[in-house]
Amino acid sequence: MNLPSSLRSTVCCVQLMTTIQTLPVPVIAQVNGLATAAGCQLVAGCDIAIASEKSKFATPGVNVGLFCSTPAVALGRAVPKKVALEMLFTGEPISAHEALMHGLVSKVVSEENLEAETMKIAHKICQASRPVIALGKATFYKQISQSLEDAYRLTSQVMLQNLELKDGQEGIEAFTQKRKPVWTNSLE
C-alpha cells in the first residue's frame, strides 16, 4: 500500500513509541529546548526524562487545525488528565518546572548540568544487572494497567522469578556479605 508521507510518519512514530516500552533497557530523554507534538510525545513515552530549566513542552496541533491525537496517548499516560487536556486543547507550552510538577519529566537541572545529570543516571542504571532491569521494566509496564489485586499477584510471581535469576541470588548474597554484587548479566 502506498501511504501518504504524513501517514507513514505517524505509523513510524507510533512504532517508536510502542517500542520504547518493550525495550529491555530504560530509555532516557534529555531535553534542552522546546519539545512539541511528537517531541513532547517522545518525552512522555520515555522511561526517564531530564530537562534543562529553559525547556518547554507543548502539543500545539490544535492551533493549526490538527489535534495532537497520537501525542495525546503518551501525554495522557504521563500527566494528570486535566493537565494533558489543557495542553491539547490550548496548544500552550508548559515550563520545565510545570512538567516536573505534573510528572512529564523526572528532573529539571540547569543547562550546564543537563548532560552530566543525564549521564549520571544512565551510569547508575548501567551498574545494575541487565536482566533484573529488563524484568523490572517489563513488569512495571505490565502491572500498571492491571487492577490492584492482579498487579500484586503478578509482581509477587515476578519477585520469585527474580530470586531465581543468578543475579538475584548474587544480589542477596552480596547484601548479606556486605559487599558489592558482581553481576553475571545472565538470563539464567
Side-chain angles (χ1 to χ4, degrees):
M1 183 190 316
N2 196 2
L3 299 172
S5 64
S6 60
L7 186 55
R8 280 195 308 270
S9 295
T10 299
V11 169
C12 288
C13 188
V14 168
Q15 288 173 337
L16 173 63
M17 294 302 133
T18 56
T19 299
I20 288 172
Q21 285 191 2
T22 60
L23 287 172
V25 295
V27 178
I28 304 172
Q30 178 179 299
V31 186
N32 189 28
L34 182 60
T36 63
C40 186
Q41 177 183 2
L42 181 59
V43 172
C46 285
D47 302 310
I48 298 170
I50 314 302
S52 70
E53 294 168 325
K54 76 175 194 177
S55 296
K56 292 186 179 187
F57 305 85
T59 51
V62 70
N63 297 326
V64 295
L66 185 62
F67 194 80
C68 287
S69 299
T70 54
V73 174
L75 187 64
R77 284 165 167 73
V79 303
K81 178 175 66 173
K82 291 182 182 352
V83 174
L85 289 172
E86 182 179 344
M87 289 177 70
L88 291 161
F89 292 155
T90 67
E92 290 297 312
I94 63 171
S95 71
H97 288 288
E98 289 172 303
L100 176 64
M101 181 175 66
H102 297 304
L104 182 57
V105 300
S106 317
K107 195 174 277 194
V108 175
V109 298
S110 67
E111 186 175 5
E112 304 80 48
N113 293 328
L114 181 61
E115 179 79 19
E117 185 61 31
T118 304
M119 293 309 294
K120 178 177 136 187
I121 292 168
H123 286 292
K124 180 67 177 166
I125 292 167
C126 288
Q127 292 173 6
S129 162
R130 286 190 302 272
V132 170
I133 291 285
L135 181 64
K137 179 178 174 176
T139 304
F140 177 84
Y141 284 114
K142 187 171 184 181
Q143 66 80 32
I144 204 78
S145 64
Q146 296 182 340
S147 71
L148 189 62
E149 295 80 17
D150 289 345
Y152 275 117
R153 190 174 306 110
L154 170 71
T155 56
S156 295
Q157 292 168 350
V158 171
M159 286 289 292
L160 294 174
Q161 293 169 5
N162 193 159
L163 287 170
E164 292 173 358
L165 291 172
K166 283 185 179 179
D167 282 352
Q169 295 168 15
E170 166 61 14
I172 298 295
E173 195 173 301
F175 177 77
T176 60
Q177 295 175 1
K178 297 181 183 348
R179 63 173 174 80
K180 283 188 85 165
V182 179
W183 304 126
T184 64
N185 290 310
S186 168
L187 295 175
E188 297 175 18

